[in-house]
Amino acid sequence: MSIKDNLNKIQSSIPEHVTLVAVSKTKPISDLMEAYDAGQRIFGENKIQEMAEKYQDMPKDIKWHMIGHVQRNKVKYMAEFVDLIHGVDGIKLLKEIDKHAKKYNRIINCLLQIKIAEEDSKFGMSANEASVLLQSDQFSELKHINVTGLMGMATFTDNMQQIKGEFNFLNSTFNRLKSYHSYNCNLETISMGMSGDYQLAINCGSTMVRVGSSIFGARNYAN
Ligand SMILES: *Cc1c(COP(=O)(O)O)cnc(C)c1O
């Protein structure tokens, strides 16, 4: 099936309140343009430099989401244009994003990444760390960021019961934290679910799914 067919099939299988992020990492511009021409406007990348290059070369009505781990020294390459940063895991990174957003007179939307998987390799904050952060004085001073939700990555496993448990945990964390409402914190988004588990994620409360290989085909990291 073509990229367009894949997109249409996925779009028609997800409810209207769920946002589809087309994860285009490692894929060439021609593939992204096929998705663009089929109506897709939100693209997710996990490397800042790759995203910045694609941003330069592509239509300017695209919303670019940074879904990967963010190194503080690279925030400057995306501060001008990034629409949403999914993987924010601490106050230091938030401060850095705030600093660069200010230079462009922007407010950058961020999701706090919560560690929901058992694997040590996955990044993210604990639910309690996120709770402390959102109530801290340091956080309340950041005028150029807006925390709009939470993001999580489930364990890489075929065990759907385990994945479901991790998604439910993120959903309950979201419900616990969303009472912290302030000028720079409005929790509305739960970013969870990828190609193999986005239906399950939606059943567990996801409002934003990040789907790559089911749209663009398998990635080839060898070239
Ligand atoms: C690559 C990636 C995805 C998409 O994975 P697929 O299995 O190809 O859909 C989603 N989220 C993150 C954070 C990723 O790095």
Side-chain angles (χ1 to χ4, degrees), residues 23 25 46 67-68 151 153 193-196 210-214 219 221:
V23 175
K25 62 193 183 193
N46 72 336
I67 62 169
M151 179 267 208
M153 284 186 80
M194 323 203 312
S195 290
R210 310 176 306 266
V211 180
S213 42
S214 291
R219 285 176 294 274
Y221 286 102

Side-chain angles (χ1 to χ4, degrees), residues 12-221:
S12 63
S13 74
I14 64 177
E16 227 168 276
H17 73 274
V18 175
T19 301
L20 174 63
V21 179
V23 175
S24 48
K25 62 193 183 193
T26 79
K27 295 297 178 180
I29 299 274
S30 55
D31 283 6
L32 278 72
M33 280 310 298
E34 211 177 313
Y36 180 89
D37 289 337
Q40 183 65 25
R41 290 296 180 271
I42 303 177
F43 292 86
E45 292 281 335
N46 72 336
K47 293 211 166 67
I48 294 173
Q49 266 134 333
E50 182 177 343
M51 181 173 76
E53 281 167 26
K54 286 172 173 171
Y55 162 73
Q56 295 295 341
D57 292 344
M58 293 190 64
K60 293 297 170 282
D61 61 342
I62 290 173
K63 291 182 172 170
W64 293 97
H65 287 199
M66 174 42 56
I67 62 169
H69 182 63
V70 177
Q71 289 170 280
R72 289 204 292 281
N73 61 357
K74 290 188 179 156
V75 171
K76 56 178 179 274
Y77 301 120
M78 64 176 168
E80 185 180 0
F81 67 89
V82 68
D83 182 70
L84 181 63
I85 302 175
H86 289 234
V88 176
D89 60 0
I91 190 73
K92 279 188 184 164
L93 178 56
L94 269 178
K95 282 183 174 175
E96 188 72 11
I97 295 166
D98 182 77
K99 185 176 95 185
H100 288 283
K102 190 175 177 188
K103 288 184 188 157
Y104 293 101
N105 201 21
R106 298 187 65 209
I107 293 171
I108 296 180
N109 293 325
C110 298
L111 305 180
L112 295 184
Q113 182 168 357
I114 306 295
K115 188 178 186 299
I116 60 173
E118 276 174 13
E119 298 157 78
D120 287 337
S121 58
K122 296 272 159 68
F123 294 99
M125 317 174 72
S126 72
N128 278 330
E129 285 167 341
S131 168
V132 169
L133 185 153
L134 292 175
Q135 296 176 90
S136 69
D137 291 341
Q138 290 188 74
F139 176 71
S140 68
E141 286 161 11
L142 304 179
K143 299 186 173 66
H144 292 271
I145 53 96
N146 188 18
V147 173
T148 57
L150 304 181
M151 179 267 208
M153 284 186 80
T155 301
F156 187 73
T157 173
D158 292 335
N159 183 343
M160 283 294 167
Q161 279 309 317
Q162 179 172 357
I163 295 174
K164 189 178 172 189
E166 295 175 359
F167 286 159
N168 282 333
F169 174 71
L170 187 61
N171 185 243
S172 65
T173 301
F174 175 86
N175 286 325
R176 186 151 76 80
L177 296 183
K178 80 179 171 203
S179 58
Y180 304 138
H181 228 283
S182 69
Y183 80 96
N184 64 355
C185 176
N186 301 280
L187 300 185
E188 289 169 348
T189 299
I190 306 179
S191 166
M192 62 183 184
M194 323 203 312
S195 290
D197 53 25
Y198 69 87
Q199 295 289 6
L200 176 62
I202 291 166
N203 292 339
C204 296
S206 173
T207 66
M208 186 174 277
V209 293
R210 310 176 306 266
V211 180
S213 42
S214 291
I215 298 172
F216 296 106
R219 285 176 294 274
N220 183 356
Y221 286 102

